[in-house]
Amino acid sequence: MATTACFIIVSRNDIPIYEAEVGSAAKREDAAQLHQFVLHAALDIVQDLAWTTSAMFLKAIDRFNDLVVSVYVTAGHTRLMLLHDSRNDDGIKSFFQEVHELYIRILLNPLYLPGSRITSSHFDTKVRALARKYL
Amino acid sequence: MAPVAPRSGDAIFASVDRVNAELFTLTYGAIVRQLLTDLEEVEEVNKQLDQMGYNIGIRLVDEFLAKSNVSSCVDFKETAEVIAKVGFKMFLGVTASVTNWDADGTCCSIVLEDNPLVDFVELPDNCQGLYYCNILSGVIRGALEMVSMKTEITWARDMLRGDDAFELQVKLIKQVPEEYPYKDDE
């Protein structure tokens, strides 16, 4: 399992709708802000890259010291972004694909407003379990 | 006398027109979503769903009787069995079971293990009081009222609230004798 991993989902309107620290490293107080900062800085690159390829998984698109940003863009232009320090492309790809499926189920819930925060605890548990499995 | 074993609804279900399950689920979801937006109060939404169900039920019962060829039920027990085994199968494609009879046979539970209405659904925090499937209770109430049975229906268990099944408690209040609203000379 990766020592550092921060996963966020950004809606098409550039609003973060889900965040999770899924790394096994001991929490540093400033880490959360740093991770957010790096991920948000990568959004511009995502925007440029997303239209150059038909693949949803954009692989590693940005780095900060030893941290790498991998991104997966859904058809609805929701971005699943992962900040990590491991080099496990296959695992990350599978992780994104399965989270994508979970996200679709959330989206199909008639009581969920697209673009609003994902508060489902079920989703949270599943994402963390997937992170343990693949990262 | 023992209730006659009702036929299952499988044959009828196979012969009626059907729609895609997801289309059905999402359409119902959209209705609930819209009601929540329009009425704002969860309580009001429950009431409205029940009323909509009632309006469906009073029409649906005719369709049901015409297509299912069930003979008239001798008692409330048989009625409940027919609803669970034939009615639910015919219109929702699932079978329910009837349990928890009280001593005088006027109150029972219809238990649904599987409910196509709630695929994908998860209640958010601000809708905890919502009975998402309240339309079903309205349908049964409306249908029974048309065959002269006044009932009261409440939800005893709800999967969306963490229970293991859906349980509708059906209570027969009274059998209304048939009334003739018209005088002969009118």
Side-chain angles (χ1 to χ4, degrees):
Chain A
M1 176 155 180
T3 47
T4 307
C6 174
F7 175 64
I8 65 171
I9 300 179
V10 182
S11 79
R12 55 177 301 163
N13 307 319
D14 294 337
I15 299 163
I17 55 174
Y18 175 81
E19 280 176 66
E21 286 284 343
V22 285
S24 56
K27 290 240 162 29
R28 279 175 45 202
E29 230 170 69
D30 57 345
Q33 283 94 324
L34 174 70
H35 294 165
Q36 274 194 0
F37 182 73
V38 176
L39 283 169
H40 286 176
L43 274 177
D44 284 338
I45 308 173
V46 179
Q47 196 162 27
D48 291 342
L49 274 181
W51 299 105
T52 62
T53 166
S54 63
M56 286 179 161
F57 182 44
L58 302 182
K59 308 226 169 87
I61 57 146
D62 195 11
R63 59 184 66 245
F64 177 82
N65 293 343
D66 57 337
L67 299 172
V68 185
V69 181
S70 290
V71 176
Y72 183 99
V73 185
T74 71
H77 221 69
T78 302
R79 282 138 296 175
L80 316 181
M81 307 178 78
L82 182 74
L83 183 73
H84 57 98
D85 57 4
S86 61
R87 301 273 182 279
N88 174 11
D89 251 9
D90 287 340
I92 290 170
K93 188 171 186 186
S94 315
F95 172 75
F96 276 141
Q97 277 164 348
E98 297 215 12
V99 173
H100 188 195
E101 269 173 45
L102 288 176
Y103 174 71
I104 290 173
R105 285 197 74 86
I106 288 283
L107 213 54
L108 279 174
N109 180 354
L111 301 178
Y112 170 78
L113 211 62
S116 66
R117 254 195 111 70
I118 300 175
T119 50
S120 160
S121 59
H122 177 246
F123 179 79
D124 189 56
T125 328
K126 279 280 183 64
V127 168
R128 285 172 197 276
L130 285 177
R132 268 195 299 282
K133 186 170 162 197
Y134 287 117
L135 304 180
Chain B
M1 101 186 220
V4 186
R7 348 174 312 154
S8 87
D10 290 330
I12 313 156
F13 182 66
S15 64
V16 292
D17 290 336
R18 273 160 288 171
V19 294
N20 179 290
E22 284 187 12
L23 172 69
F24 173 67
T25 310
L26 290 177
T27 309
Y28 182 66
I31 292 173
V32 179
R33 160 98 253 156
Q34 191 61 45
L35 285 175
L36 278 167
T37 317
D38 290 350
L39 300 172
E40 291 168 6
E41 296 284 329
V42 171
E43 263 320 296
E44 285 299 311
V45 177
N46 286 342
K47 252 186 242 161
Q48 191 64 37
L49 282 175
D50 185 71
Q51 185 59 40
M52 288 164 64
Y54 178 82
N55 291 336
I56 295 174
I58 57 179
R59 293 161 174 80
L60 207 62
V61 68
D62 264 326
E63 159 109 348
F64 173 72
L65 292 173
K67 288 213 175 134
S68 66
N69 292 324
V70 289
S71 48
S72 46
C73 302
V74 289
D75 56 6
F76 188 54
K77 278 197 177 171
E78 196 186 335
T79 311
E81 286 288 335
V82 168
I83 293 174
K85 298 274 165 356
V86 189
F88 272 101
K89 183 72 198 176
M90 184 169 160
F91 293 113
L92 279 185
V94 295
T95 320
S97 54
V98 185
T99 52
N100 289 347
W101 281 102
D102 69 345
D104 38 337
T106 57
C107 185
C108 68
S109 291
I110 295 180
V111 178
L112 275 171
E113 306 276 346
D114 187 21
N115 186 345
L117 287 178
V118 299
D119 286 348
F120 320 123
V121 178
E122 206 176 311
L123 287 186
D125 290 338
N126 56 348
C127 300
Q128 284 303 323
L130 179 70
Y131 288 109
Y132 188 81
C133 302
N134 219 20
I135 201 160
L136 292 183
S137 60
V139 170
I140 297 178
R141 186 169 62 90
L144 286 180
E145 193 163 309
M146 283 299 114
V147 288
S148 48
M149 275 176 266
K150 266 258 183 236
T151 49
E152 193 178 85
I153 298 176
T154 46
W155 287 98
R157 282 188 286 167
D158 190 331
M159 265 177 176
L160 295 179
R161 299 175 176 208
D163 299 322
D164 51 347
F166 286 93
E167 179 174 338
L168 273 165
Q169 201 156 56
V170 184
K171 189 171 169 41
L172 178 68
I173 300 174
K174 62 172 176 179
Q175 303 246 14
V176 189
E178 280 187 41
E179 289 167 20
Y180 300 97
Y182 311 109
K183 293 198 187 88
D184 283 343
D185 52 356
E186 269 178 14

